[in-house]
Amino acid sequence: MSTHRIYNFNPGPAALPLEVLERVQDEFLNYKGTGMSITEISHRSKEFDEIINDAVLRIKRLLSLGDDFDVLFIQGGASLQFCMVPMNLSIEGRPVDYINTGTWSTKAIKEAKIQGRDVRIIASSEDKNFSYIPKTFTVDPDAAYLHFTSNNTIKGTQWHHFPDAGNVPLVCDMSSDIMSRPFDARPFGLIYAGAQKNLGPAGVAVVIIRRDMLERVPEELPTMLKYTTFSEKNSLFNTPPCFAIYVIDLVLQWLEEKIGGLKRMEEINAQKSKIIYDMIDGSGFYRGTAEPDSRSIMNITFRLQSEELEQKFVSEALKEGLGGLKGHRSVGGCRASLYNAVSIEAVEALCQFMKEFERRYG
Ligand SMILES: Cc1ncc(COP(=O)(O)O)c(C=O)c1O
């Protein structure tokens, strides 16, 4: 079997640290002397208990979360959170505020409307094809929460300073930049993230909820759609996605022990994205699609002169061992996702390829 691996710029599921994959491989048939694979062990076992508790502890430590926050693992991806958030956290007679910065925010808004909530879109960047992060907006002080998407995976934009909503709790979809940088979690009532970008394999969303928000959860909701069910049972009300949680724990270990935490991760991520943005800005051949002050350090979106050239770019890159550079099907163009596990070496290889491609076709 070939162990040749490519440089992976996929948007999600995405690159995982090689050390983590090797560790999974090493202990896959016999987890810690149990004689069983982690995929064969009870979720009620001592071994799995250690894994889930360790993952929660590491998330809390990495994000400097106080005891007023719970960390939950919920299936259904980030998309289920689009509806669980308004179901659980809205308050009768009060609006819910949303900022629309792209495809995923739009989907979150749609789900809140399906729930019949009084949804106010207080800002949107739709006027310029979501190429920027809105700077002016007014949050209704009576709003039950303000929802925003910290990083717009498809449009390549990112909030560099989170919105100030006063006493209104922030609710954030951090699917594509969680654990990429440190931030102050105190203004947040809830943070959610599909795991399959910076955290681990697909199959689970990490939900970080401030405990006072649990008081809002309506009693009459179906059991599996209530945050309280997950909080009361340490995410073990039913069988959780054990394998995904196990890999998340290993990724968190890598982040803490190999990288050295989020401050260092942020520096590395800044260095990586600068390599590509500097190259794009200096080229005249590639055109970044996000406004410079709103650019994402995770997903770099760019266009070439024609769709034909873009296709050639993606396919020639793959031949050179650089995968996943096609833009999202809804927007076209090219996209390089530089999540935590994408190494500087991979980014330098991409930069070299882009220069060479420009030399040949520019
Ligand atoms: C910002 C953001 N939110 C939500 C989603 C949807 O996540 P899931 O597939 O886990 O439902 C994605 C997926 O790419 C995303 O990038």
Side-chain angles (χ1 to χ4, degrees), residues 11-13 76-82 103-105 107 149-154 173-177 192-197 202-205 299 328 335 339:
S79 297
L80 183 64
Q81 295 310 307
F82 296 160
T103 315
W104 299 111
S105 312
K107 290 192 182 206
T149 313
S150 55
N151 183 71
N152 300 284
T153 327
I154 296 176
D173 175 359
M174 278 195 198
S175 293
S176 51
D177 66 352
Y192 61 94
Q196 64 273 13
K197 296 156 199 303
V204 67
N299 310 98
H328 190 268
R335 168 175 56 178
Y339 297 124

Side-chain angles (χ1 to χ4, degrees), residues 70 72-75 80-81 83-89 190 207 209 213-238:
D70 276 355
L72 316 175
F73 296 96
I74 304 181
Q75 296 188 52
L80 183 64
Q81 295 310 307
C83 80
M84 276 182 78
V85 163
M87 270 182 171
N88 282 266
L89 305 186
L190 187 141
V207 174
I209 186 165
M213 304 298 281
L214 293 166
E215 289 159 22
R216 299 184 179 190
V217 177
E219 211 26 67
E220 68 278 7
L221 287 185
T223 310
M224 283 298 286
L225 295 176
K226 285 158 101 159
Y227 290 126
T228 40
T229 302
F230 292 84
S231 153
E232 284 159 13
K233 300 283 185 203
N234 195 26
S235 304
L236 291 166
F237 172 78
N238 75 329

Side-chain angles (χ1 to χ4, degrees), residues 178-194:
I178 194 164
M179 298 297 174
S180 67
R181 55 181 172 175
F183 63 92
D184 177 8
R186 283 172 302 181
F188 289 83
L190 187 141
I191 293 163
Y192 61 94

Side-chain angles (χ1 to χ4, degrees), residues 9-26:
F9 300 96
N10 272 326
L16 288 173
L18 183 59
E19 292 96 317
V20 168
L21 296 175
E22 286 171 345
R23 171 95 179 261
V24 171
Q25 189 176 41
D26 271 358

